[in-house]
């Protein structure tokens, strides 16, 4: 099981836990609303009934003015509380023509509209949280940091409000269920009163309808929409850099007990993200479905080379450009807008937050585009501990060179040679993670050694996050850094699959020495 598969399991469990919490909140709310309905029906029996039975002809009489006033107040209160749903209310003028039975049915309809509004608000928040959580987990896996998407980001809104099921979004499905259920209740009430049912018999029937249908509709929508949002959020983040996914069945309690459905026929099959269709080859395949779509990479090394090439050509910046203005402002704040001197001072101060090792920086820097162009570099920490920079360098480059001043500068030009690979990889690794943590946009350079460090943490979970791993690795003296890393890998590598062991050992070999 690789890093993402383990992370995916954690996300699936988090979804299930959040679903249970939401179910309990809604269940308690449904119970409260049913007691209100029972109380209202009891008042009708008391006001218009005799011996616990209502004569149907009495319900055909005109609704009293006081009851009309109460209905109007109920409508006004709903419109004030939920203005965006006010258009769903019945025509106000029709209240003046209602009989007593219609007045009760009208009130039931208004109660169901309020239930629908509460469901919408609760489920919207639930889905937004799941979309952001899963999109961020995928973005973090792809190397873009932990909090790349907010719950109000355009991507999250697009996913949550998608009309993916029969041309309707989840809100339209809620209102469809509410309308259907209100009609059920009002039909039950009308037929029960026409039969001359007692209060006990009528409320028993309504209790069963309220307890089963309303809950079932809400729970089914929570499960099914949650599965869509979870998988679509991951797909939206992954499809930029991966072409395919593999369909995975979730072996929950029913399936472990022998249950089989259409999902089992798709289990393990690979599809293109660009061709994904919920209900056809992408979860959810059916109501209550909890299956997942996992990124599929057939040639890992080729994929990583392609990833570096794409992101080295500015793809990471395009990723940043897709964010909303507010998100981009936070992410792209940079070291400083006050020139190269201030950028260097800020880089010096920022790197001090991530290591206790003192900097040997001389406090001097040189901007020399001609020299940098001739040597095909954007920056370099000189052995004098001055820093050479191109005027076009990124903030990441400046941070990178200041990290060298806190690491490689403790050796001399000869003694550092045999530690060159681990020095360059660990410095660049931490520079990228600092940029992500500090909200500084950057385009990664093509450094194969860095991708290996990311891969090691994903496969072996050496630390909880890439930032923690980068900080822990850099904290070791350059002479012991590789040995520490090798110890961490060897402790965990036995749990890896055989095919991956060879790959991980190859990674470690490439980080050793200076070639």
């Amino acid at each position: 099981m690789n890093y993402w598969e383990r992370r995916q399991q954690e996300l699936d469990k988090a979804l299930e836990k959040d679903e249970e919490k939401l179910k309990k909140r809604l269940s308690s709310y449904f119970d409260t609303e049913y007691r209100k309905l029972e109380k209202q029906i009891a008042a009708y029996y008391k006001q218009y009934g005799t011996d616990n039975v209502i004569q149907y002809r009495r319900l055909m009489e005109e609704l009293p003015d006081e009851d009309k006033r109460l209905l109007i107040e109920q409508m006004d209160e709903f419109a004030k509380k939920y203005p965006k749903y006010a258009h769903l209310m019945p025509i106000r003028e029709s209240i003046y023509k209602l009989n007593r039975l219609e007045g009760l049915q009208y009130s039931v309809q208004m109660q169901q509209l309020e239930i629908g509004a509460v469901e919408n608000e609760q489920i919207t928040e639930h889905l937004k949280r799941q979309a952001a959580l899963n999109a961020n987990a995928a973005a973090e896996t792809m190397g873009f940091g932990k909090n790349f998407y907010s719950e109000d980001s355009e991507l999250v809104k697009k996913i949550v409000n998608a009309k993916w099921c029969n041309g309707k979004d989840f809100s339209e499905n809620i209102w469809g269920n509410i309308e259907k259920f209100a009609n059920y209740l009002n039909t039950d009430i009308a037929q029960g009163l026409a039969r001359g049912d007692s209060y006990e018999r009528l409320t028993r029937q309504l209790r069963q309808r309220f307890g089963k249908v309303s809950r079932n509709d809400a729970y089914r929508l929570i499960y099914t929409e949650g599965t869509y949002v979870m998988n679509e959020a991951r797909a939206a983040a992954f499809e930029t850099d991966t072409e395919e996914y593999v369909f995975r069945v979730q072996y929950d309690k029913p399936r472990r007990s022998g249950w089989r459905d259409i999902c089992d026929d798709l289990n393990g099959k690979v599809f293109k993200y660009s061709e994904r269709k919920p209900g056809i080859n992408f979860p959810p395949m059916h109501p209550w479905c909890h299956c997942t779509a996992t990124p599929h990479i057939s040639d890992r090394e080729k994929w990583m080379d392609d990833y570096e090439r794409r992101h080295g050509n500015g793809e990471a910046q395009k990723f940043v450009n897709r964010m909303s203005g507010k998100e981009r402002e936070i992410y792209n704040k940079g070291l400083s807008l006050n020139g190269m001197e201030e950028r260097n001072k800020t880089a010096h101060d920022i790197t001090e937050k991530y290591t206790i090792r003192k900097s040997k920086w001389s406090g001097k820097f040189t901007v020399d585009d001609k020299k940098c162009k001739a040597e095909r570099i954007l920056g370099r920490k000189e052995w004098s501990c001055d820093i050479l920079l191109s005027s076009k360098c990124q903030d990441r480059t400046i941070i990178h060179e200041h990290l060298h001043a806190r690491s490689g500068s403790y050796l001399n030009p000869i003694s550092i040679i045999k530690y060159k690979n681990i020095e360059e990889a660990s410095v660049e690794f931490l520079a990228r993670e600092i940029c992500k943590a500090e909200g500084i946009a950057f385009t990664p350079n093509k450094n194969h050694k860095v991708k290996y460090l990311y891969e090691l943490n994903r496969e072996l979970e050496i630390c909880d996050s890439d930032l923690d791993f980068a900080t822990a690795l850099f904290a070791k003296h350059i002479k012991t850094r590789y040995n520490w890393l090798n110890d961490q890998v060897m402790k965990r590598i036995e749990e890896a699959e055989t095919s991956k062991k060879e790959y991980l050992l190859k990674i470690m070999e490439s980080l050793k020495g200076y070639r």
Side-chain angles (χ1 to χ4, degrees):
M1 185 180 292
N2 61 30
Y3 168 81
W4 173 249
E5 288 168 339
R6 288 190 293 270
R7 187 76 178 94
Q8 185 171 269
Q9 281 191 348
E10 294 172 0
L11 292 167
D12 292 345
K13 289 177 181 177
L15 172 63
E16 290 177 6
K17 188 179 291 186
D18 286 346
E19 286 172 342
E20 286 304 313
K21 290 179 181 177
L22 180 55
K23 281 172 61 179
K24 286 181 180 178
R25 290 198 301 273
L26 288 177
S27 181
S28 177
Y29 175 69
F30 292 150
D31 288 340
T32 300
E33 290 303 308
Y34 177 71
R35 287 192 292 270
K36 290 180 183 178
L37 178 60
E38 264 194 350
K39 188 175 180 181
Q40 188 175 9
I41 293 173
Y44 253 64
Y45 270 85
K46 183 178 180 180
Q47 187 174 358
Y48 304 119
T50 304
D51 296 330
N52 207 28
V53 175
I54 299 178
Q55 294 295 322
Y56 191 75
R57 58 181 174 76
R58 291 203 62 190
L59 295 175
M60 296 298 103
E61 297 172 8
E62 184 180 351
L63 187 69
D65 289 342
E66 177 62 15
D67 289 345
K68 291 177 184 177
R69 184 185 64 78
L70 290 174
L71 277 177
I72 290 173
E73 287 181 0
Q74 190 177 4
M75 291 184 69
D76 289 343
E77 185 178 347
F78 179 85
K80 183 179 179 180
K81 193 173 182 181
Y82 305 106
K84 66 179 179 179
Y85 302 131
H87 65 284
L88 298 172
M89 293 191 298
I91 300 173
R92 183 181 178 124
E93 286 71 20
S94 62
I95 291 177
Y96 300 103
K97 302 175 183 178
L98 298 179
N99 60 37
R100 291 168 176 173
L101 173 60
E102 291 168 338
L104 176 59
Q105 292 174 321
Y106 208 98
S107 182
V108 168
Q109 187 175 356
M110 287 304 303
Q111 182 194 36
Q112 288 302 306
L113 286 177
E114 180 140 5
I115 290 174
V118 170
E119 274 190 49
N120 259 284
E121 289 187 347
Q122 296 263 340
I123 294 176
T124 296
E125 290 306 309
H126 169 72
L127 295 178
K128 284 169 63 178
R129 182 177 185 278
Q130 299 308 319
L133 186 66
N134 282 273
N136 278 323
E140 181 185 2
T141 302
M142 300 305 291
F144 289 99
K146 285 187 175 181
N147 299 305
F148 202 75
Y149 299 103
S150 71
E151 291 186 11
D152 293 322
S153 66
E154 291 304 315
L155 177 72
V156 168
K157 290 177 183 177
K158 180 180 177 181
I159 291 170
V160 170
N161 297 317
K163 296 178 182 288
W164 67 272
C165 182
N166 298 323
K168 296 180 180 179
D169 61 29
F170 83 93
S171 181
E172 291 171 308
N173 285 324
I174 287 177
W175 290 119
N177 291 338
I178 290 294
E179 182 180 5
K180 179 180 67 176
F181 186 63
N183 290 336
Y184 282 150
L185 286 178
N186 282 329
T187 298
D188 288 343
I189 290 170
Q191 291 178 347
L193 293 173
R195 288 193 303 265
D197 287 353
S198 66
Y199 167 75
E200 288 77 12
R201 182 178 178 183
L202 178 58
T203 53
R204 183 169 59 249
Q205 181 180 354
L206 294 177
R207 189 181 303 114
Q208 290 175 346
R209 176 83 74 181
F210 215 103
K212 291 182 179 180
V213 178
S214 63
R215 280 175 170 77
N216 190 68
D217 284 346
Y219 297 167
R220 182 181 64 246
L221 190 141
I222 290 169
Y223 272 76
T224 311
E225 290 286 343
T227 296
Y228 170 76
V229 163
M230 173 182 70
N231 283 287
E232 184 60 26
R234 296 171 184 176
F238 278 128
E239 66 179 336
T240 303
D241 289 293
T242 56
E243 295 182 357
E244 299 176 325
Y245 65 90
V246 57
F247 192 100
R248 295 293 189 199
V249 162
Q250 186 187 47
Y251 285 96
D252 49 17
K253 188 174 180 180
R255 190 164 266 105
R256 290 196 300 269
S257 301
W259 173 266
R260 292 293 179 270
D261 57 31
I262 188 174
C263 299
D264 292 275
D265 296 331
L266 296 175
N267 190 36
K269 292 190 176 180
V270 177
F271 302 95
K272 289 185 178 297
Y273 274 119
S274 60
E275 297 174 358
R276 68 185 184 277
K277 290 184 179 179
I280 303 297
N281 61 5
F282 189 78
M285 291 297 297
H286 54 80
W288 303 97
C289 179
H290 253 185
C291 294
T292 59
T294 302
H296 178 258
I297 301 171
S298 56
D299 187 333
R300 187 179 298 271
E301 290 206 33
K302 180 180 182 300
W303 176 83
M304 293 190 79
D305 286 340
D306 290 344
Y307 179 86
E308 288 286 346
R309 185 172 61 253
R310 284 195 301 272
H311 289 265
N313 290 333
E315 195 67 24
Q317 188 60 48
K318 293 177 185 177
F319 204 102
V320 173
N321 291 340
R322 287 198 291 272
M323 294 187 290
S324 67
K326 184 177 180 181
E327 289 172 315
R328 192 180 303 117
E329 180 182 343
I330 294 172
Y331 193 81
N332 197 25
K333 63 184 182 183
L335 285 172
S336 173
L337 299 176
N338 297 322
M340 193 65 81
E341 182 175 358
E342 191 65 31
R343 289 171 74 190
N344 273 277
K345 288 179 179 179
T346 304
H348 171 78
D349 293 342
I350 285 178
T351 54
E352 195 167 41
K353 292 165 56 178
Y354 295 89
T355 178
I356 61 173
R357 196 178 297 116
K358 292 184 178 181
S359 174
K360 288 185 173 289
W361 179 43
S362 65
K364 300 176 183 179
F365 69 91
T366 303
V367 178
D368 190 333
D369 287 342
K370 186 177 180 180
K371 186 174 183 180
C372 287
K373 184 177 181 180
E375 297 186 28
R376 297 183 179 181
I377 59 172
L378 289 171
R380 183 175 63 215
K381 193 277 304 175
E382 306 281 19
W383 284 106
S384 64
C385 284
D386 295 353
I387 291 178
L388 170 67
L389 296 167
S390 163
S391 62
K392 299 177 182 179
C393 72
Q394 301 180 55
D395 290 336
R396 176 193 57 75
T397 302
I398 301 176
I399 292 172
H400 178 108
E401 302 309 330
H402 277 272
L403 287 172
H404 275 313
R406 296 179 183 274
S407 180
S409 291
Y410 279 78
L411 300 185
N412 60 52
I414 302 300
S415 61
I416 197 175
I417 291 175
K418 64 179 180 178
Y419 306 111
K420 179 183 177 183
N421 284 344
I422 193 67
E423 167 72 1
E424 279 301 321
S426 58
V427 163
E428 176 61 17
F429 186 28
L430 183 55
R432 294 184 189 184
E433 290 305 305
I434 288 175
C435 285
K436 294 172 189 176
E438 298 292 332
I440 299 170
F442 68 95
T443 300
N445 63 349
K446 187 172 182 179
N447 187 320
H448 291 278
K449 303 299 185 292
V450 176
K451 73 177 182 180
Y452 292 148
L453 292 175
Y454 278 112
E455 186 76 356
L456 285 173
N457 202 37
R458 286 169 192 164
E459 292 294 340
L460 301 177
E461 293 184 307
I462 296 171
C463 292
D464 290 338
S465 70
D466 288 331
L467 177 59
D468 290 344
F469 180 34
T471 305
L473 181 62
F474 187 81
K476 306 302 177 287
H477 190 279
I478 186 173
K479 290 184 176 182
T480 61
R481 198 170 295 167
Y482 177 85
N483 291 337
W484 176 85
L485 177 61
N486 192 59
D487 288 344
Q488 300 303 312
V489 171
M490 292 303 115
K491 287 177 185 177
R492 297 166 174 81
I493 200 168
E494 290 305 317
E495 298 178 8
E497 298 172 9
T498 303
S499 60
K500 289 180 179 175
K501 285 181 183 178
E502 296 177 1
Y503 176 66
L504 296 174
L505 290 172
K506 183 179 177 182
I507 284 179
M508 290 305 300
E509 189 63 29
S510 71
L511 290 169
K512 191 174 184 179
Y514 58 89
R515 291 184 179 179

